[in-house]
Amino acid sequence: MTNVYLEIGPKKVFACSVEWPGWCRIGGSEPLALDALADYAPRYRVIAERAGLAFEPGDPVVVERAPGGSTTDFGAIEAIPELDGEPVGAAEAERTVALVRAAWELFDEAAAGSPEELRKGPRGGGRDRDKMVAHVVEAERAYARKIGVRHRPFRDASGSAAMRAELVEVLARPSDGAPAVSGGWPARYAARRIAWHVIDHLWEMEDRRH
């Protein structure tokens, strides 16, 4: 079985895997979101295998429904489900870090193999490669603050590598499920949000570079 929670916005629904950080897809209803999640299983398998993990998901089982909002409808996960308040043991933390690292590696490889100008979306929109990379890194810098990792803006790969090393250090620790810092995020949610954002743009880049 694959445990899934649903983030339900006014118009859109995200289906997110509990055990596989970043495997989250959106749809116009609960069934459509679950269908989209299943459709992307082969693409997520690439990430799991890069992390050295066997990926054989079963039928989805909805274990929680969390209220979303305008950010959900815009196309980004925002709700922190109650299940993210549960403790994270050492084995889960290690596995999570492996998946986040795999997402980073595959995104960086996709960027290195993509042209600067990417094919535009159906309405002529979408960032080109360098702007997409900058957007992912800057979003990550904002997410990092939610678990106590603070970095000034940077423009080079060494700055990103240093920040990611600190993120790994935090996410690799067992957690009692409480937010890492006051007003911040639980470790499980932070890992999911970071992985989802990287993976979402990884798949977008792969789709738009041809």
Side-chain angles (χ1 to χ4, degrees), residues 79-182:
I80 300 177
E82 290 183 7
L83 58 85
D84 283 346
E86 298 172 1
V88 176
E92 180 184 344
E94 181 180 358
R95 179 178 176 279
T96 294
V97 164
L99 289 162
V100 172
R101 285 185 187 274
W104 283 334
E105 288 177 9
L106 289 163
F107 179 81
D108 291 346
E109 289 171 13
S114 297
E116 160 57 16
E117 187 173 337
L118 299 174
R119 181 171 50 81
K120 300 305 179 188
R123 288 178 287 183
R127 298 177 182 89
D128 285 327
R129 182 198 62 202
D130 291 352
K131 288 186 177 180
M132 189 186 297
V133 171
H135 164 72
V136 167
V137 170
E138 188 59 23
E140 219 158 74
R141 198 172 67 84
Y143 300 160
R145 292 196 294 270
K146 295 291 190 176
I147 55 172
V149 175
R150 294 183 174 274
H151 276 256
R152 294 182 180 277
F154 48 79
R155 294 288 183 182
D156 55 17
S158 62
S160 179
M163 181 180 69
R164 287 176 172 179
E166 288 188 46
L167 286 170
V168 163
E169 186 178 343
V170 174
L171 296 176
R173 298 178 199 141
S175 165
D176 63 3
V181 295
S182 178

Side-chain angles (χ1 to χ4, degrees), residues 194-206:
I194 291 166
W196 165 77
H197 195 242
V198 174
I199 292 167
D200 193 56
H201 286 294
L202 162 65
W203 291 339
E204 179 190 0
M205 190 178 297
E206 288 175 343

Side-chain angles (χ1 to χ4, degrees), residues 7 31 33 39 45-46 56 59 63 66 70 75 91 96 102 118 121 136-137 140 142 151 154 186 195 210:
E7 177 179 322
D39 288 345
R45 180 174 286 108
V46 176
E56 297 297 336
D59 294 335
V63 295
S70 59
T96 294
L118 299 174
V136 167
V137 170
E140 219 158 74
H151 276 256
F154 48 79
H210 300 298

Side-chain angles (χ1 to χ4, degrees), residues 37-55:
L37 190 72
D39 288 345
Y40 274 77
R43 297 182 79 168
Y44 193 90
R45 180 174 286 108
V46 176
I47 296 157
E49 290 177 349
R50 174 62 66 93
L53 300 170
F55 181 72

Side-chain angles (χ1 to χ4, degrees), residues 6-14 26-28 66-74 78-79:
L6 299 177
E7 177 179 322
I8 303 172
K11 298 178 181 178
K12 299 286 186 178
V13 177
F14 263 105
I26 196 170
S70 59
T71 300
T72 312
D73 286 354
F74 180 73
E78 65 167 334

